[in-house]
Amino acid sequence: MLQYIIQLNYATIILMFCLLVFIITNDYFDRKIRILFLISCTMMLCLVAADSVEYWASVTNNTQRLRIWMSAIGYSLRPTIIFVVILLLLRQRNMKRAWLIMPLIFNALLAFSALFTDIAYSYSADNEFIRGPLGYFAFVISGFYAVVLLICTVRLYKSVHFSETLISIAVVCMFVISTAMESSWGYDGTINATGAVALVFYYLYLNTQQFKRDPMTNTLNRRCFFLDAEKDMAGLSAVMSIDLNNLKQLNDESGHAKGDEAICTLTRCIQKVLPKNCFLYRTGGDEFMVLCFHKEEAAVKQLLLNMKKEVAQTPYSCAIGMVYNNRRESFDKLCSLADKAMYEDKSRLKSTN
């Protein structure tokens, strides 16, 4: 029995302890992300413990009550782990998430109802598991959160990096497969192992993204700007140069905190209207660049107008220069032309004020 428990959970336990070490020793993430990962690791270890005790109780006489408690904990935790992955995906989005918690609460109440009713599940006098009319509800809820994760991934596709989109889809597929394997074919421990792999995979991904993102605005950094252009120069349609107006004056009069707020506001405005295959990079203090791939010139011009319109709704303003790559110029030349157009736009703005 002990050998089976170790074989079933060894990989999951090792992954979670290694992840805990990384989380505790790595302070690059903001506090919210670290807390979410710590919560998820704790839940995974609790799930392993509950499943191990439940298995021990399944081969021991007169332990039906204990087995019910452990099963209820397991049924409650499994969909919750997928829920935490959803929170990680939505970590920087202001979305109402209270409705997402309600299925978890109902699922937990149903799981623990086995203490006094057999509507979900029960155990016979011989300690055999008996699935009730709502016995598959926990697996349905897990599938529900997998679908929610997929929907969030699709909706946020234009604002997250493509690699994160692929990882989210991979996580959804892993959870769907493992849920089917455990609920229909009796492959114990597959959901636990999937959750552990998904969390470690996501953590490592976010850790590598720290080297690609500007820490204040979360936009792609200057290094990615050049790498992305080099990677798909053939598909590069346009380059935009963006500069926040009057930042020095704002810093001198109101402090650097207000200047940072202006930069972040500008970033949010641009990200809000960026379509698919267009990416924003912070290349300097208040200097940003946009690369557009596989876009028609009319679409890029409309994007420029949308940026101006969005920023105009804030107390700030910016100058934007755009050059369309219809002559297939070198990348350095495109950047130079975009900067020139931006400074011309800045001059026009000053002359009209």
Side-chain angles (χ1 to χ4, degrees):
M1 179 178 65
L2 180 60
Q3 180 181 0
Y4 176 76
I5 292 175
I6 293 174
Q7 289 177 341
L8 190 65
N9 299 306
Y10 182 77
T12 302
I13 293 172
I14 292 298
L15 284 171
M16 288 301 93
F17 273 116
C18 288
L19 184 55
L20 279 173
V21 172
F22 276 117
I23 296 169
I24 294 170
T25 58
N26 184 354
D27 57 358
Y28 293 114
F29 291 140
D30 64 35
R31 185 170 178 270
K32 179 180 178 181
I33 294 178
R34 294 184 72 194
I35 289 176
L36 284 174
F37 273 113
L38 284 171
I39 290 173
S40 61
C41 284
T42 302
M43 288 193 300
M44 282 300 309
L45 292 173
C46 289
L47 181 57
V48 168
D51 285 352
S52 299
V53 174
E54 192 273 331
Y55 178 75
W56 171 81
S58 69
V59 296
T60 306
N61 294 327
N62 302 319
T63 54
Q64 287 90 348
R65 198 73 173 175
L66 175 62
R67 194 178 179 191
I68 290 174
W69 275 99
M70 295 302 103
S71 297
I73 293 172
Y75 280 129
S76 301
L77 287 178
R78 282 179 176 82
T80 306
I81 292 169
I82 308 177
F83 173 72
V84 173
V85 176
I86 295 173
L87 294 182
L88 286 168
L89 180 66
L90 302 178
R91 60 193 177 276
Q92 293 164 338
R93 284 88 188 178
N94 295 321
M95 297 177 64
K96 294 182 179 180
R97 302 164 194 172
W99 67 273
L100 283 173
I101 302 176
M102 299 307 297
L104 291 178
I105 296 174
F106 185 77
N107 178 63
L109 292 174
L110 183 63
F112 282 97
S113 71
L115 292 167
F116 48 85
T117 180
D118 59 359
I119 190 172
Y121 62 92
S122 60
Y123 294 99
S124 68
D126 297 329
N127 217 3
E128 291 294 326
F129 177 79
I130 302 174
R131 196 180 300 276
L134 297 180
Y136 284 100
F137 187 79
F139 298 103
V140 172
I141 291 297
S142 295
F144 164 76
Y145 282 115
V147 172
V148 171
L149 180 59
L150 182 60
I151 293 173
C152 290
T153 299
V154 173
R155 291 186 61 184
L156 298 172
Y157 171 65
K158 70 174 185 178
S159 59
V160 300
H161 206 265
F162 182 64
S163 55
E164 183 168 2
T165 303
L166 291 179
I167 288 175
S168 299
I169 294 173
V171 169
V172 170
C173 293
M174 286 192 295
F175 274 121
V176 170
I177 293 171
S178 61
T179 300
M181 290 176 65
E182 189 160 324
S183 62
S184 301
W185 304 315
Y187 286 86
D188 295 336
T190 51
I191 294 180
N192 296 6
T194 298
V197 171
L199 290 172
V200 171
F201 199 32
Y202 224 139
Y203 181 86
L204 293 177
Y205 167 77
L206 293 180
N207 194 47
T208 59
Q209 289 301 298
Q210 298 297 308
F211 302 101
K212 297 182 178 181
R213 301 263 174 186
D214 170 61
M216 185 175 79
T217 62
N218 197 46
T219 58
L220 295 166
N221 59 25
R222 183 181 180 87
R223 180 173 179 270
C224 282
F225 174 66
F226 292 103
L227 289 175
D228 287 352
E230 180 182 357
K231 183 170 57 178
D232 191 13
M233 190 63 196
L236 181 61
S237 302
V239 178
M240 290 186 180
S241 177
I242 305 168
D243 189 85
L244 181 66
N245 293 327
N246 304 317
L247 179 63
K248 185 178 185 304
Q249 179 182 351
L250 185 62
N251 284 334
D252 293 342
E253 294 179 357
S254 304
H256 286 275
K258 286 294 182 181
D260 292 345
E261 180 182 334
I263 291 173
C264 291
T265 300
L266 174 65
T267 301
R268 287 193 294 270
C269 290
I270 296 172
Q271 292 278 29
K272 185 176 180 180
V273 298
L274 274 185
K276 180 182 176 182
N277 294 329
C278 293
F279 304 97
L280 177 65
Y281 307 82
R282 188 183 184 191
T283 55
D286 61 341
E287 300 166 0
F288 295 86
M289 303 293 286
V290 172
L291 296 180
C292 298
F293 297 92
H294 310 287
K295 290 292 180 184
E296 297 293 334
E297 186 171 4
V300 178
K301 289 180 178 179
Q302 185 61 51
L303 172 60
L304 190 152
L305 294 175
N306 292 341
M307 289 179 181
K308 289 275 192 178
K309 182 179 179 181
E310 197 67 33
V311 175
Q313 299 179 33
T314 72
Y316 314 109
S317 66
C318 67
I320 306 177
M322 185 274 287
V323 58
Y324 194 76
N325 190 22
N326 49 10
R327 296 183 182 178
R328 294 298 156 186
E329 302 277 5
S330 69
F331 184 61
D332 289 341
K333 181 67 173 179
L334 289 172
C335 292
S336 177
L337 291 173
D339 284 339
K340 181 181 178 182
M342 182 271 294
Y343 285 117
E344 290 174 354
D345 186 44
K346 190 179 285 284
S347 297
R348 284 194 297 269
L349 291 171
K350 287 182 179 180
S351 63
T352 56
N353 292 335

